[in-house]
Amino acid sequence: MSYLKFEKATMTNLEAVLSKELLRTNRSGAYSYSTLVDCNTRKYHGLLVIPVPEIDDDNHVLLSSLDCSVVQHDVEFNLGLHKYQGNNYAPKGHKYIREFDCDHIPTTLYRVGSVVLKREKIFQHYENRILIRYTLVDGPSQTKLRLRPFLAFRSVNDLCHENGVASREYQEIENGIKTSLYAGYPELNMQLSKKNEFVFAPDWYRGIEYPKEQERGYAFQEDLYVPGYFEVTMKKGESVVFAGCTSKIKPSTLKKLFDEECDHRPARDNFFRSLYSSAHQFYNHKKDGSYIIAGYPWFKCRARDTFISLPGLALAIEEPDRFELIMKTAGKALNDFLIGKPLQYDIAEIEQPDVPLWAVWAIQQYAHSQGEEKAFELYGELVWNIINTIESGKHPNIFVADNGLLRINGSSKAMTWMNSTVYGKPVVPRSGYVVEINALWYNSLKFVAELARFKNDNFASDKYESKANAIKQSFQEVFVNESGYLWDYVDNGVPNAEVRPNMIFAVALDYSPLETAQQKSVIYFCTRELLTAKGLRSLSPKSGKYTPYYVGTQNQRDWAYHQGTAWPWLGGFYMEAVMKLHKRSRLSFVHRQMVGFEDEMFYHAVGTMPELFDGNPPFHGRGGCAFAMNVAELLRMSKLLESYTY
């Protein structure tokens, strides 16, 4: 029985199916992204969306969509779907869909009268090439297909409008054409595996609308250019492959290429395998190194997200070589920053104060997986550099107080993961002593003492053990309150009393600066006030600032971003804390929590995990369609559950 399969009743119900999206990436920064019925509802949607570094740092939509028509007795049945002005959907090709399945590769089955057509899509790894295979499963001997490409050639942050500048020029190439609408863009090569006729019939399709952009308060209408259509005759049982790419290919190789790419796609036939496949979508291999994209469709590589995600996206799926490859880039970038070298890598926010501490945590997870000896060999120098830079006061955004704790200045600029800003000011101005930064600091010193002990450096081990013990006492004095939870931050002696999830790290990390009773109390507060079926809320509902719905204009969403929304990656650390403290006695509880996340495999971006959720039921998924830290933590928790179960 298929796992990620949707029947006719779902696929023909626009209200149900337009909220379901599908993302595929090529591991080189490009992606293909739309709804299951190929009706684009966002300006970020497109069959072929690629980076064009010659123009800017954005991704760019080249091929927006490809409408396929079945022609029988000179009557055309268009299988496409677009939203136009006045809430009009046309040509309503979704009504011909019988089923959709993406357990292996995205496959849609259409029936038009006596014709049964199967369409399969693959986004080729490491190439800017979308491959679509059409197979005539059943039908009369004379069946024609017409493939009509909709071109945009624009940034994902812009919209296209009819104009006289767009070039109508094209060149014929083997079994297809190549064209580029504007100077500076690469050529889009569109080819078929079989000889065909290209009919030049240039036109603009006007007033296409993207309702998701309208919901977000952005411009939402655009015009798309269609140069004409490809027409090919097929017989029963025959397959034809379409390729849209920035480079030409030999058409005779397309069928073999499709099969080879198909063989490399793992099955998505259960929750873990779906997350496993999703993990690979965040990899981004470039000429200067290997990166993790923080999320799709609008995120880039961010330092904090990279180090938090690495253990889940690599170690939890038994790919330590992937960890080492990405850490080679991220670790070098961090080390260069620490010693004052200009940044040579495309990693954002590496100056944030918690980033080096998350790097130590990631290395600590590597040590658990691959052994302390290898961790010390590969990353010992980086760990020492991190600790020494912080202790010597050379990190520009970290200050060591007399009590051994770390202070930051986040009053005017966001300095933690709660980084939303409105009118240039942080919505949550976390400054002074910040709870998770100091929990990470304590954990880092204990890990360094452990590494030193492993290398028989007893002097260094005793030194850092002593410092950690002093920090443990200071941590409890500063953050523990009479109510039983932890202050989120304490600035100039004034504690922030809001109940937030950041205190969970003081329990979940390998080394906790809290006593057992204090750890239990923190879990109690997180369970009572923050826990949802989709992770931990970013703020307790008891707060007057509680804003659980991530909706509205950009400013409204920025205000709500960390004021009550729920985050799966925080839920991962919560589950780790529960298992760490209660062991097997809470296994069934943690299993139930994981079931709450499995539901998301069938909603929003199918087979992956969105950025965040509303803090109130029904916990609607919001933000980016796929978020690396969420996928990573659920993979890590699956692995941890396995270790407790067997």
Side-chain angles (χ1 to χ4, degrees), residues 78 140 183 232 260 287 304 319 348 351 440 466 482 529 597:
N78 195 321
V232 61
E260 289 173 348
K287 290 181 179 179
R304 178 187 299 111
E319 294 184 2
E351 78 286 351
L440 285 163
S466 177
E482 294 180 354
E529 299 191 26
F597 293 112

Side-chain angles (χ1 to χ4, degrees), residues 196-421:
N196 62 88
E197 179 186 4
F198 175 70
V199 178
F200 182 58
D203 201 359
W204 287 89
Y205 281 62
R206 304 165 186 86
I208 292 175
E209 294 187 346
Y210 304 121
K212 290 295 184 182
E213 303 310 319
Q214 187 176 13
E215 289 175 12
R216 300 167 72 226
Y218 294 124
F220 59 93
Q221 294 181 341
E222 83 168 339
D223 310 322
L224 293 173
Y225 174 68
V226 177
Y229 58 87
F230 302 92
E231 186 168 280
V232 61
T233 301
M234 298 179 67
K235 60 183 180 181
K236 181 179 176 180
E238 186 179 8
S239 294
V240 173
V241 178
F242 168 89
C245 185
T246 53
S247 61
K248 287 190 294 186
I249 190 171
K250 192 74 173 172
S252 59
T253 66
L254 282 174
K255 288 186 178 181
K256 181 181 179 183
L257 175 63
F258 194 99
D259 288 336
E260 289 173 348
E261 288 290 319
C262 188
D263 290 342
H264 294 152
R265 300 302 189 275
R268 295 174 172 84
D269 52 5
N270 59 39
F271 180 49
F272 181 83
R273 287 173 183 260
S274 294
L275 290 175
Y276 171 88
S277 296
S278 180
H280 292 87
Q281 294 190 324
F282 300 104
Y283 303 149
N284 184 13
H285 299 287
K286 302 166 73 172
K287 290 181 179 179
D288 64 344
S290 297
Y291 300 84
I292 287 176
I293 299 292
Y296 285 92
W298 45 72
F299 292 98
K300 305 295 184 184
C301 177
R302 303 190 300 197
R304 178 187 299 111
D305 301 63
T306 295
F307 292 123
I308 294 177
S309 300
L310 254 180
L313 297 186
L315 301 177
I317 59 175
E318 308 294 340
E319 294 184 2
D321 55 332
R322 186 85 62 179
F323 182 102
E324 294 161 12
L325 191 64
I326 294 169
M327 185 60 100
K328 186 176 180 180
T329 301
K332 180 69 164 58
L334 177 58
N335 195 65
D336 286 351
F337 170 77
L338 294 175
I339 63 177
K341 281 188 176 181
L343 190 60
Q344 303 176 45
Y345 300 94
D346 192 17
I347 302 180
E349 300 179 10
I350 204 160
E351 78 286 351
Q352 297 282 287
D354 58 339
V355 165
L357 301 173
W358 279 118
V360 174
W361 174 81
I363 294 167
Q364 186 179 38
Q365 305 312 303
Y366 181 86
H368 293 329
S369 172
Q370 303 300 306
E372 289 184 333
E373 183 172 359
K374 193 169 183 181
F376 188 90
E377 175 188 341
L378 293 177
Y379 309 117
E381 184 178 343
L382 176 60
V383 170
W384 296 122
N385 196 14
I386 288 170
I387 300 300
N388 292 334
T389 300
I390 293 174
E391 284 191 314
S392 63
K394 293 180 180 179
H395 193 290
N397 295 315
I398 301 175
F399 311 96
V400 183
D402 292 340
N403 59 6
L405 297 180
L406 303 184
R407 291 185 299 106
I408 67 168
N409 182 6
S411 57
S412 59
K413 181 180 178 181
M415 285 288 179
T416 71
W417 79 273
M418 290 188 162
N419 57 1
S420 59
T421 60

Side-chain angles (χ1 to χ4, degrees), residues 69-86:
S69 295
V70 173
V71 182
Q72 282 278 290
H73 307 296
D74 296 323
V75 179
E76 182 174 353
F77 301 89
N78 195 321
L79 309 183
L81 182 64
H82 308 273
K83 184 183 184 298
Y84 291 93
Q85 297 170 351

Side-chain angles (χ1 to χ4, degrees), residues 519-591:
Q519 294 179 44
K520 289 181 178 179
S521 185
V522 166
I523 290 178
Y524 169 76
F525 269 88
C526 287
T527 305
R528 187 180 70 175
E529 299 191 26
L530 302 176
L531 185 63
T532 74
K534 307 301 180 185
L536 292 186
R537 294 185 179 98
S538 47
L539 180 64
S540 168
K542 294 181 179 179
S543 171
K545 297 178 182 178
Y546 182 64
T547 310
Y549 300 108
Y550 185 71
V551 294
T553 65
Q554 184 66 57
N555 278 351
Q556 288 172 325
R557 284 179 285 118
D558 286 341
W559 277 111
Y561 200 48
H562 299 114
Q563 300 286 52
T565 52
W567 296 76
W569 74 277
L570 293 174
F573 281 95
Y574 167 83
M575 288 185 280
E576 182 176 29
V578 168
M579 286 189 284
K580 176 184 172 185
L581 206 59
H582 298 286
K583 304 294 188 294
R584 295 177 60 88
S585 65
R586 294 291 179 91
L587 272 183
S588 60
F589 168 74
V590 174
H591 274 294

